[in-house]
Amino acid sequence: MAQQSIEGIDILVPLQEWIEDEAKKQVWQNENKYWREWIIRKTTIAFGITELLRHSRNYSRTDTLSFSIENFSVRINIEQTAGRFSQPTWNNIKGVDMISPQLSSDIVEPFFLCNSFLFPHGSDDAEDQILGRYLEVIVQTLPDGYSTASTVNQIEESCCHSLGVLLYELFSHSPPLQDAGLGNTRLYNKESQLESNDVLQEPVRKRTRLSDSTAIAAQSPSFEEATEENQETPFSPHIPLMKLGFPASISMLVQNLLECRGGNDNSPEGAYESLETVSKDLHLLLLDPNHVLFDQEPISENGSVQLLFRKQKLYGREDEISLITDAFCRVSSGKSEAVFIGGFSGSGKSRLANSLTDRVDTSGGYVITHKFDQKPEKDTETLLLEVISTINDLCLLIKEKSAQQDLLAIVKDLKEVFGTDFSLLTRLLPSIGLISSQLGHVNMVCDQTDLPSVCLTLQRFMGVVSSKAHPIMLFFDDLQWCDDSAFSLIENILSDASGSSCLLFVGAYRSNQVQDNHAIFSLIDSLSSSGLPTTTLGLEGLPPGELTTMVSDAMCMFPRMCKRLADIIFQKTKGNPFFVQQFLSSLLDASLLEYSVQKRRWVWDEEAIKSMDVTDNVLFGLLKNMTRLSENAKLTLKVVACLETMKESTVRHLSTISEYSNIQSELERVIEEGFIVKVGTSDFKFVHKEVHEAAYGLIPDNEKNRFHYSLGMTLYSMIKKEDVDDIIFSIADQVNRGIEDLSIQSPELRLDLADLNEIAGMKAMNSDYMAACSYLNTALLMLPTNPWRSQYARSLRLFSSLAKSTYSCGDMKKAQEILQEILGECNCIEDKLPAYFLQVTILNACGESVDAYSTCREVLSQLRETIPQRLEPRETTQMIKATLKMSSGLSLDSLLEMKGMAKKFSITLKFYNFITTIAFFTKPEIFAFLACKNVQLTMKQGVCKYSILGLVLYAAAIISGSKTMKDTQEASRIGKAAMSCFKKRFHSADQLSIVYFAYFGLVAAAYEPLQSCAEMLRQGFDAGMSDGDPATALLNSIQHVNMALIAGEKLSALFDKVNYYLELADLHKHELGKTFLSIFRDTISVLIDTRESTSSNMNNTTSENGATKLANNSGTVYFHRAIQAFCLGHSERCQHFIEKVQVGSATEKLGKMVVMFIHGLNSFQVLKRQNTSKLRKVTQNALTALKAAALHSKWNFKSKVHLLEAEFFSFHGNCEEAKASYAAAVTSARSSRFIHEQGLACELAGFHYKKIGEISSARDFFNQAKQCYADWGSQMKVGFISRQLETVDLLA
């Protein structure tokens, strides 16, 4: 069907055919302007379809409404002549028709907006910006046979989802449920280049970060991994349009339609509820495509993320704009008026006034403005001069804007008014000479400068220069800083008795900075009394709807998507535009509002935002209104001020007491008034710290402690009636505030308060050890004199808990003093054992490992266990054989079925665990023997939670001394069985940290990826800190850094972690941690630094002095010196240090393998100068050992084997084999994500190709090495490789 028109031919094309035709045009997508136009056309059709459905759903007939593609047609206009406009464009769509019911719509643009949507076709320098279209859809009259529907809601429930299916096919060219058919519809353009296998990485600072003191038992999917873009949901069994390259706004709109389930309550948040809302969103996309439709990445020039505020838009002031505009219109007709605008700073006063300036300017008027500032030194004369100077600026403006004849007319009128005496006028307005030279050279006869004369002169001047043709707008801002004299001058200028002035005075002032007696209100009253029309406007905050628009504009999002955020912002700012922008900026700074690169839109944390303080404008009103509240409301504020955060259970408890019976209703009132906000599901807090302080100030200072105590005792009176665990801290805090001022004589009450603080202290030990110390110390103060005699059991509990809390806070000296008191007062060894265990823990952490070992040995002897002072190798061998035989049938099932160990034996095993761990560092020769004792005790007496660590240490002993594959397999079997048993049978929080240290630090690296081991060690650190065991936590930190460094973690991030760990080690006096972490930081610093002079640090002995105290790890310093020398290319120095490393029987497997790997590689370099049998044997042993290790973990060791083989072949001149092995080493390292080993393989390959004269290949490998080292973060290695490239270029 076609219709002839002047512009061309209108034709009706079935929608299916139109979609297929559009699909063929995707070749244009490489040119951004065509791609944008393509999206606009589809969005226009979507808008037309939605409007048709919106109208049709209000009518019904016997047949059902069809949402199929076949039910719609597109009416387009095609030009008859070929040319550059013959291709379809955005404006050739004339309408959309529906077959059943038979409806037709015209898509038109109002005539007054028809030129607002411009697109520079064919222009080479055309920008990608497209102006918006204000489209209207006119639906033709419905045919006969239709009647108003009575089931609109039922139809509405299913319309949105069906429309989503239709629009999905419109945009993607395939139905949403046919995933397989979407593969060929992916868009490629410079705005949206998303591949299905792309992984968009958020900036590190945007990821959810867990506290370094939080224990994590298992990994969970990240926030980004759980988004709708990355997984299918019950509501979206399709590929999101954004993954097909469409803008995020279109993808979200269609997604939210598909999520509709016909009124189902399970529809996710964001699902559409009506077609009207869909239509509004589509209209917005077309109205402002650059801002809303097409994706905006809000990145400023300096790379920071910013919100895209519409700085020129004045939100929510339509009524005020109308009033001030009407006032100017009346002034233009020959009158003077005054408008005063009051409001809080940032409410939009200046912008409201400035909204009129363009109108004044185009009407031939003049606008002069001045802003007063606050300067204490200003006097009356200065303020008057500012007003006069502003009027003087008017002369300049008149000269610039007026034609010559107008200037002559002004001069003539001035002469008529002033005669020949221009003396005072010229002195007041020096620039008047610019209007005419006749006015600039006059006899200075008059010397009158009194205020009345000044006022009269300026009034007469304004009467001359203002007229209907040239009205004047005088805008003075910040009038709150003016005084009576300045206001008097303004009043006289406006009060022209002759009525000749056409002057609009606009004055703005900050309502929060003026009192009721301020002179500005006298000026307003005086002007009104004199008959001058005066309008007073008070600018409050934006209403919620306008605020939502402002926020959505800033985020380039649909208003409905950010309404809840806008509601929170309204509560915090009361809609003040300035404070809204400041508040949003503060959210950005706090990372509570972030731009998600993956979602291509803003995301935020609602609960965290709710807990933020209100802004200053809201605070001002709250503080002003607080004194007007009722006494009951004030009492509620006092209670919340004392508690700081009040829980619903507290309200419930207090409401049962007559004094606080109204607290529930009063709380609701102060929430409504804005003083308090509910955070989460059960907490109430003040909206701002100053509101909190003001509420607390309602209690006289001399009554505060008594008020706290009375409130606490009121709550405490209910402690025996019901469970108050959730408010125990509140009760204890209130009571303790008043204890100091009260003389509590009652022994019963003192013991009750001791119980209260003990309960609070024990609960606080789960989260806050500083608070626990405070509660426990208060509990001890409540006990009678000589408590060990009269309150032995209670004293033992309190002193033991206090020692643990003090240790967890890092006060080792105080903790040891408390432990000494416990050991001196306890009656039996059973009561002393917990104190002994904490004592040896502290001794070991403080670097007194020998004393810790001796104390452990003495305790075990009291438990009737014998540990030999010296041990012959034969005895160790026999012990290991006996234990292997005893544990041969050990499995997960046998561990799960094994009987539980008696308490007395479990305590013994606990000390065996600890002494074995100490032996690993201080007495490696006895480590295996002690590990066997652990296992034997479990096999004889049964299993307990300490058995897990014993078994893992035993596995570590086997794997450290393994000589065959069978040994490693046995260690793996026992270690895995122990960890599975730990997870299924025990999983004790107090054992998690030490078990992770032993398993992932000493055992698992033999067969599990290093990266996962390093991560689990980090979790072990978190678990230890969470459990208040910093000593064990820092053992995990040592192994975590060691493992992460070997695994090639980014050096800069690792350096930050080491510094963090070192701070904690220093705080907790953990000498072992400080020693090893300092060694690691040394090496990381050398690798990061670009200056080779850093290598001089290798001669430092600070860390070495600490490490040499530890027999098993004295070689750690030498090994790291060797690593530094190796990376710097100093092979002789590396050989010197690495030969000093003593690899003992208790050295963990990974450490042995890395030492052999570096020793082997470095020996190939030394062999080039010293070809000795000893060095050749080193290389052969290294290759043999690494091959054996690779049998258990290709991930960790295969790349090392390939690289050693490559160096072997290169050294012996087997070039082809060397090339293949280097390539295999690079591939294997890349596969295992060892970026540093990949760089090393490329580096050594580069040297090989350089040696055999293949310079181009050498250059390629060196460049690859440089990139790998850059990614690793080693500027030192980047510099080293850059110098090699220079030599290669010279050879080329």
Side-chain angles (χ1 to χ4, degrees):
M1 185 174 91
Q3 179 181 355
Q4 185 75 30
S5 68
I6 296 175
E7 295 81 6
I9 300 175
D10 286 348
I11 61 173
L12 198 62
V13 180
L15 181 57
Q16 181 66 55
E17 182 180 329
W18 186 87
I19 291 174
E20 292 172 356
D21 186 56
E22 288 293 302
K24 299 174 183 177
K25 301 185 179 73
Q26 290 184 37
V27 66
W28 291 355
Q29 292 157 200
N30 290 327
E31 301 181 47
N32 192 51
K33 63 180 182 180
Y34 292 120
W35 176 79
R36 284 176 169 244
E37 189 176 89
W38 189 75
I39 296 294
I40 287 283
R41 285 201 304 278
K42 287 179 172 289
T43 307
T44 303
I45 296 297
F47 181 46
I49 291 172
T50 304
E51 282 293 278
L52 276 177
L53 292 171
R54 191 169 70 86
H55 284 78
S56 66
R57 62 103 161 91
N58 290 318
Y59 294 85
S60 64
R61 57 185 293 163
T62 54
D63 57 333
T64 59
L65 192 63
S66 173
F67 287 83
S68 69
I69 292 288
E70 290 75 14
N71 196 35
F72 297 90
S73 298
V74 181
R75 204 165 348 103
I76 60 176
N77 181 271
I78 300 297
E79 292 189 6
Q80 298 183 64
T81 58
R84 62 175 181 171
F85 297 109
S86 60
Q87 295 283 7
T89 59
W90 53 265
N91 57 358
N92 75 336
I93 299 170
K94 300 303 181 182
V96 179
D97 290 1
M98 182 187 292
I99 298 172
S100 176
Q102 187 176 351
L103 295 176
S104 179
S105 68
D106 295 325
I107 299 177
V108 299
E109 194 164 15
F111 70 94
F112 58 88
L113 294 172
C114 61
N115 293 321
S116 66
F117 186 75
L118 304 175
F119 189 88
H121 287 282
S123 175
D124 294 335
D125 57 351
E127 297 292 336
D128 292 334
Q129 301 298 307
I130 301 179
L131 299 179
R133 304 180 69 194
Y134 189 95
L135 296 180
E136 292 181 355
V137 175
I138 301 174
V139 179
Q140 296 180 7
T141 305
L142 290 161
D144 295 337
Y146 288 82
S147 60
T148 302
S150 59
T151 58
V152 172
N153 291 337
Q154 292 179 347
I155 298 175
E156 187 80 32
E157 290 175 356
S158 59
C159 275
C160 289
H161 177 75
S162 299
L163 176 61
V165 175
L166 176 59
L167 295 189
Y168 188 95
E169 187 167 355
L170 169 67
F171 283 100
S172 71
H173 315 145
S174 299
L177 299 180
Q178 297 178 7
D179 290 351
L182 299 177
N184 296 324
T185 65
R186 188 175 307 282
L187 305 182
Y188 299 96
N189 57 79
K190 69 180 182 182
E191 285 197 348
S192 303
Q193 296 181 2
L194 284 178
E195 297 290 347
S196 60
N197 60 348
D198 280 348
V199 179
L200 296 182
Q201 295 292 337
E202 293 289 341
V204 172
R205 65 177 183 81
K206 292 186 179 180
R207 296 177 188 155
T208 302
R209 292 182 292 273
L210 297 172
S211 169
D212 285 311
S213 61
T214 302
I216 310 166
Q219 295 280 50
S220 59
S222 68
F223 174 77
E224 293 296 346
E225 290 172 340
T227 59
E228 65 272 16
E229 287 84 6
N230 290 306
Q231 64 177 11
E232 294 184 356
T233 70
F235 301 105
S236 57
H238 60 276
I239 298 176
L241 289 176
M242 193 169 72
K243 278 197 171 184
L244 302 179
F246 288 92
S249 58
I250 292 293
S251 181
M252 179 180 291
L253 184 145
V254 175
Q255 179 77 17
N256 291 161
L257 283 169
L258 291 171
E259 288 170 342
C260 296
R261 281 296 182 267
N264 191 327
D265 291 337
N266 292 325
S267 293
E269 183 182 354
Y272 281 104
E273 297 179 354
S274 69
L275 290 176
E276 282 84 356
T277 307
V278 184
S279 183
K280 287 179 182 178
D281 284 352
L282 285 165
H283 187 269
L284 181 61
L285 295 180
L286 293 168
L287 181 66
D288 194 356
N290 297 309
H291 200 75
V292 187
L293 174 56
F294 300 114
D295 295 333
Q296 298 279 344
E297 289 198 16
I299 307 299
S300 65
E301 292 181 359
N302 62 5
S304 61
V305 181
Q306 63 177 5
L307 292 161
L308 302 177
F309 289 107
R310 295 182 185 272
K311 297 181 180 180
Q312 303 305 317
K313 185 173 180 179
L314 190 58
Y315 295 90
R317 304 299 184 200
E318 289 78 9
D319 293 341
E320 290 82 358
I321 291 174
S322 178
L323 287 170
I324 196 172
T325 302
D326 290 346
F328 175 72
C329 291
R330 290 190 293 271
V331 168
S332 299
S333 65
K335 299 179 180 179
S336 290
E337 287 198 22
V339 176
F340 290 88
I341 308 172
F344 205 93
S345 174
S347 57
K349 305 182 297 296
S350 301
R351 295 187 65 188
L352 175 61
N354 292 331
S355 68
L356 192 59
T357 56
D358 287 343
R359 180 181 288 272
V360 175
D361 189 62
T362 55
S363 66
Y366 309 113
V367 179
I368 49 177
T369 65
H370 179 68
K371 183 181 179 71
F372 294 98
D373 55 15
Q374 182 185 21
K375 290 184 178 179
E377 67 274 10
K378 281 190 178 181
D379 53 16
T380 297
E381 183 179 351
T382 303
L383 291 169
L384 286 172
L385 287 175
E386 288 186 29
V387 176
I388 295 170
S389 176
T390 303
I391 297 176
N392 182 57
D393 293 339
L394 178 61
C395 300
L396 300 171
L397 197 59
I398 292 172
K399 170 65 176 176
E400 291 174 1
K401 293 188 62 176
S402 302
Q404 187 61 34
Q405 59 270 27
D406 292 332
L407 294 176
L408 293 174
I410 290 173
V411 172
K412 177 183 176 183
D413 292 340
L414 287 173
K415 287 181 177 180
E416 290 180 0
V417 172
F418 289 95
T420 59
D421 184 9
F422 291 98
S423 301
L424 182 57
L425 181 62
T426 305
R427 292 177 60 193
L428 294 174
L429 308 177
S431 297
I432 196 170
L434 296 174
I435 298 177
S436 172
S437 59
Q438 301 175 39
L439 303 177
H441 300 85
V442 295
N443 296 322
M444 306 293 287
V445 177
C446 181
D447 196 31
Q448 290 179 305
T449 56
D450 57 282
L451 183 59
S453 299
V454 171
C455 292
L456 179 61
T457 300
L458 294 179
Q459 181 192 88
R460 294 163 68 190
F461 172 76
M462 296 295 282
V464 171
V465 298
S466 64
S467 63
K468 294 180 181 179
H470 302 290
I472 294 175
M473 175 182 170
L474 179 60
F475 174 39
F476 282 170
D477 200 0
D478 281 344
L479 289 177
Q480 70 273 5
W481 309 129
C482 283
D483 65 0
D484 293 348
S485 298
F487 285 140
S488 178
L489 177 57
I490 293 170
E491 180 182 356
N492 279 278
I493 292 173
L494 292 172
S495 302
D496 183 1
S498 65
S500 59
S501 298
C502 293
L503 177 63
L504 175 64
F505 173 79
V506 180
Y509 63 93
R510 298 180 187 178
S511 56
N512 61 302
Q513 293 182 338
V514 295
Q515 302 297 324
D516 293 341
N517 60 353
H518 195 280
I520 194 171
F521 299 114
S522 299
L523 172 63
I524 294 172
D525 292 340
S526 180
L527 291 174
S528 298
S529 300
S530 66
L532 186 79
T534 303
T535 303
T536 303
L537 302 176
L539 297 189
E540 302 297 333
L542 300 178
E546 290 293 334
L547 180 57
T548 299
T549 301
M550 179 181 179
V551 173
S552 68
D553 282 351
M555 296 183 179
C556 304
M557 292 176 65
F558 296 127
R560 64 184 177 84
M561 298 302 296
C562 49
K563 183 180 183 305
R564 284 174 52 176
L565 173 62
D567 289 343
I568 299 172
I569 295 174
F570 181 81
Q571 293 174 5
K572 303 298 181 183
T573 65
K574 295 305 178 188
N576 181 292
F578 173 75
F579 288 105
V580 168
Q581 293 192 35
Q582 280 202 330
F583 188 78
L584 285 169
S585 296
S586 70
L587 297 185
L588 283 176
D589 294 339
S591 297
L592 298 179
L593 175 66
E594 299 177 321
Y595 184 78
S596 169
V597 176
Q598 189 170 31
K599 288 186 172 185
R600 284 186 263 162
R601 66 176 177 85
W602 292 90
V603 294
W604 53 87
D605 185 341
E606 282 190 14
E607 288 303 319
I609 296 172
K610 284 181 182 178
S611 66
M612 293 186 69
D613 289 341
V614 296
T615 52
D616 290 347
N617 61 318
V618 181
L619 176 63
F620 174 80
L622 291 174
L623 297 179
K624 189 174 181 180
N625 294 333
M626 185 177 290
T627 56
R628 303 173 186 173
L629 295 174
S630 67
E631 290 304 314
N632 282 335
K634 289 180 181 177
L635 177 61
T636 301
L637 292 181
K638 292 176 186 178
V639 171
V640 181
C642 288
L643 297 172
E644 296 188 6
T645 298
M646 185 163 69
K647 294 185 176 295
E648 280 188 345
S649 56
T650 306
V651 179
R652 187 173 62 253
H653 292 315
L654 286 174
S655 63
T656 62
I657 307 299
S658 58
E659 183 182 357
Y660 303 101
S661 58
N662 297 321
I663 193 169
Q664 181 69 58
S665 58
E666 293 299 332
L667 180 62
E668 292 173 1
R669 179 184 173 187
V670 293
I671 290 174
E672 185 177 346
E673 293 277 348
F675 294 96
I676 289 173
V677 64
K678 188 173 185 180
V679 180
T681 58
S682 62
D683 291 351
F684 300 93
K685 59 168 284 187
F686 285 100
V687 295
H688 195 281
K689 64 180 180 180
E690 290 191 33
V691 179
H692 180 197
E693 292 169 0
Y696 192 56
L698 295 173
I699 310 171
D701 289 343
N702 61 347
E703 297 179 13
K704 280 184 168 64
N705 285 347
R706 186 171 293 276
F707 190 94
H708 279 288
Y709 182 78
S710 175
L711 175 61
M713 292 305 294
T714 299
L715 291 168
Y716 180 60
S717 65
M718 298 173 287
I719 195 170
K720 297 178 181 178
K721 298 178 182 179
E722 53 184 299
D723 180 25
V724 290
D725 185 63
D726 59 334
I727 60 171
I728 191 67
F729 295 141
S730 297
I731 297 174
D733 290 341
Q734 301 310 304
V735 171
N736 292 347
R737 281 292 300 269
I739 283 179
E740 297 177 4
D741 293 350
L742 300 171
S743 177
I744 302 174
Q745 302 297 332
S746 168
E748 293 79 9
L749 179 57
R750 293 181 71 89
L751 289 179
D752 279 349
L753 295 182
D755 283 338
L756 170 65
N757 278 279
E758 182 180 359
I759 295 170
M762 298 303 290
K763 183 176 175 63
M765 287 180 69
N766 295 325
S767 56
D768 186 347
Y769 286 97
M770 290 292 289
C773 288
S774 177
Y775 292 128
L776 294 169
N777 276 313
T778 303
L780 286 169
L781 287 174
M782 292 294 101
L783 296 184
T785 307
N786 297 324
W788 285 101
R789 291 183 176 83
S790 59
Q791 299 287 327
Y792 178 82
R794 191 195 303 266
S795 297
L796 180 59
R797 291 198 309 272
L798 287 172
F799 276 103
S800 297
S801 299
L802 182 59
K804 172 68 186 299
S805 298
T806 307
Y807 152 72
S808 298
C809 291
D811 192 345
M812 302 300 183
K813 182 178 179 181
K814 180 64 176 176
Q816 293 202 63
E817 290 175 359
I818 298 170
L819 291 172
Q820 287 302 322
E821 180 172 353
I822 294 172
L823 294 172
E825 295 288 351
C826 283
N827 299 327
C828 60
I829 183 63
E830 288 76 16
D831 289 346
K832 293 181 180 182
L833 287 174
Y836 273 130
F837 192 81
L838 184 55
Q839 186 182 56
V840 296
T841 300
I842 293 174
L843 287 171
N844 189 52
C846 292
E848 305 298 331
S849 301
V850 175
D851 291 342
Y853 182 90
S854 298
T855 304
C856 245
R857 187 171 177 275
E858 290 173 8
V859 172
L860 283 168
S861 67
Q862 293 185 56
L863 295 173
R864 301 184 179 180
E865 293 290 329
T866 303
I867 298 176
Q869 287 280 16
R870 299 181 61 183
L871 198 66
E872 296 295 332
R874 176 179 51 81
E875 296 177 86
T876 302
T877 303
Q878 291 176 351
M879 187 73 164
I880 292 173
K881 287 182 178 180
T883 308
L884 284 170
K885 183 178 180 180
M886 190 180 293
S887 62
S888 60
L890 195 68
S891 66
L892 173 59
D893 291 339
S894 65
L895 285 171
L896 294 175
E897 296 171 0
M898 192 178 293
K899 69 174 183 177
M901 184 180 290
K903 183 178 180 181
K904 65 175 183 178
F905 294 114
S906 68
I907 296 297
T908 302
L909 182 56
K910 182 178 181 180
F911 278 90
Y912 262 124
N913 281 345
F914 197 81
I915 198 172
T916 306
T917 305
I918 299 174
F920 178 81
F921 293 101
T922 60
K923 290 183 173 292
E925 70 278 1
I926 203 170
F927 171 70
F929 175 86
L930 292 172
C932 291
K933 293 285 286 186
N934 282 281
V935 177
Q936 290 186 7
L937 189 59
T938 292
M939 300 305 295
K940 292 176 181 178
Q941 303 298 338
V943 70
C944 68
K945 64 180 181 180
Y946 304 118
S947 298
I948 305 303
L949 178 58
L951 289 167
V952 171
L953 289 171
Y954 175 60
I958 296 174
I959 211 165
S960 295
S962 64
K963 293 182 173 59
T964 65
M965 183 186 298
K966 184 178 180 181
D967 292 338
T968 303
Q969 290 173 340
E970 177 69 5
S972 172
R973 182 184 66 81
I974 293 174
K976 289 178 179 179
M979 292 303 291
S980 297
C981 179
F982 181 61
K983 181 178 180 181
K984 294 184 178 182
R985 183 165 177 173
F986 300 108
H987 204 74
S988 304
D990 64 326
Q991 289 294 291
L992 185 65
S993 183
I994 188 63
V995 168
Y996 273 26
F997 160 75
Y999 181 73
F1000 293 105
L1002 309 180
V1003 179
Y1007 45 84
E1008 293 188 11
L1010 293 183
Q1011 292 90 340
S1012 63
C1013 290
E1015 170 57 22
M1016 298 310 290
L1017 287 163
R1018 187 198 62 77
Q1019 292 185 24
F1021 166 81
D1022 289 341
M1025 294 303 295
S1026 178
D1027 192 52
D1029 186 6
T1032 306
L1034 287 163
L1035 287 180
N1036 277 275
S1037 75
I1038 294 170
Q1039 287 296 78
H1040 171 221
V1041 174
N1042 180 50
M1043 196 81 69
L1045 182 59
I1046 296 172
E1049 185 172 324
K1050 295 292 180 64
L1051 291 173
S1052 58
L1054 192 55
F1055 188 74
D1056 291 340
K1057 288 176 184 175
V1058 172
N1059 283 330
Y1060 171 69
Y1061 289 150
L1062 273 169
E1063 288 177 9
L1064 288 178
D1066 187 57
L1067 173 66
H1068 293 280
K1069 310 296 187 295
H1070 199 286
E1071 297 302 322
L1072 188 68
K1074 288 163 65 176
T1075 298
F1076 283 95
L1077 291 169
S1078 296
I1079 295 170
F1080 299 153
R1081 185 173 63 177
D1082 242 10
T1083 297
I1084 297 169
S1085 297
V1086 170
L1087 291 170
I1088 291 176
D1089 203 341
T1090 58
R1091 298 166 298 171
E1092 287 195 26
S1093 58
T1094 317
S1095 63
S1096 62
N1097 291 336
M1098 291 189 294
N1099 298 319
N1100 294 343
T1101 59
T1102 305
S1103 299
E1104 184 175 350
N1105 290 336
T1108 51
K1109 297 179 182 179
L1110 309 170
N1112 187 43
N1113 287 280
S1114 58
T1116 302
V1117 173
Y1118 299 126
F1119 175 64
H1120 278 264
R1121 299 290 184 261
I1123 287 284
Q1124 295 171 25
F1126 179 79
C1127 291
L1128 287 165
H1130 303 322
S1131 56
E1132 295 291 347
R1133 186 182 299 175
C1134 174
Q1135 202 73 5
H1136 165 76
F1137 284 117
I1138 208 162
E1139 286 177 352
K1140 287 189 174 186
V1141 177
Q1142 298 296 320
V1143 181
S1145 60
T1147 305
E1148 38 88 20
K1149 183 75 172 183
L1150 179 63
K1152 288 183 178 180
M1153 293 301 101
V1154 175
V1155 168
M1156 298 191 79
F1157 175 59
I1158 297 299
H1159 199 180
L1161 286 179
N1162 191 73
S1163 294
F1164 281 117
Q1165 303 304 316
V1166 180
L1167 275 169
K1168 296 174 184 177
R1169 296 182 293 276
Q1170 305 174 27
N1171 195 338
T1172 66
S1173 59
K1174 178 181 177 182
L1175 289 175
R1176 290 195 297 274
K1177 187 176 181 181
V1178 168
T1179 61
Q1180 190 59 49
N1181 289 342
L1183 194 53
T1184 301
L1186 267 298
K1187 283 183 177 180
L1191 294 174
H1192 300 286
S1193 177
K1194 290 183 179 180
W1195 181 283
N1196 292 340
F1197 302 112
K1198 194 64 177 177
S1199 61
K1200 298 174 178 63
V1201 171
H1202 286 308
L1203 193 51
L1204 282 169
E1205 288 179 333
E1207 287 289 276
F1208 177 84
F1209 290 133
S1210 177
F1211 179 77
H1212 289 285
N1214 300 328
C1215 293
E1216 295 306 315
E1217 291 89 340
K1219 289 179 181 180
S1221 292
Y1222 282 123
V1226 171
T1227 301
S1228 182
R1230 184 190 301 118
S1231 175
S1232 296
R1233 302 199 300 274
F1234 294 158
I1235 189 67
H1236 60 322
E1237 284 191 16
Q1238 184 182 341
L1240 178 60
C1242 290
E1243 174 188 345
L1244 295 179
F1247 280 116
H1248 170 74
Y1249 280 96
K1250 177 183 175 183
K1251 181 180 72 173
I1252 63 176
E1254 296 185 19
I1255 303 303
S1256 177
S1257 295
R1259 183 187 295 108
D1260 288 343
F1261 274 107
F1262 279 135
N1263 278 317
Q1264 290 180 52
K1266 183 178 179 180
Q1267 184 59 53
C1268 289
Y1269 288 140
D1271 292 343
W1272 187 31
S1274 177
Q1275 292 304 313
M1276 180 270 285
K1277 289 298 295 182
V1278 169
F1280 178 79
I1281 297 299
S1282 296
R1283 290 188 290 277
Q1284 302 308 316
L1285 282 168
E1286 291 173 3
T1287 63
V1288 168
D1289 290 338
L1290 290 174
L1291 292 173

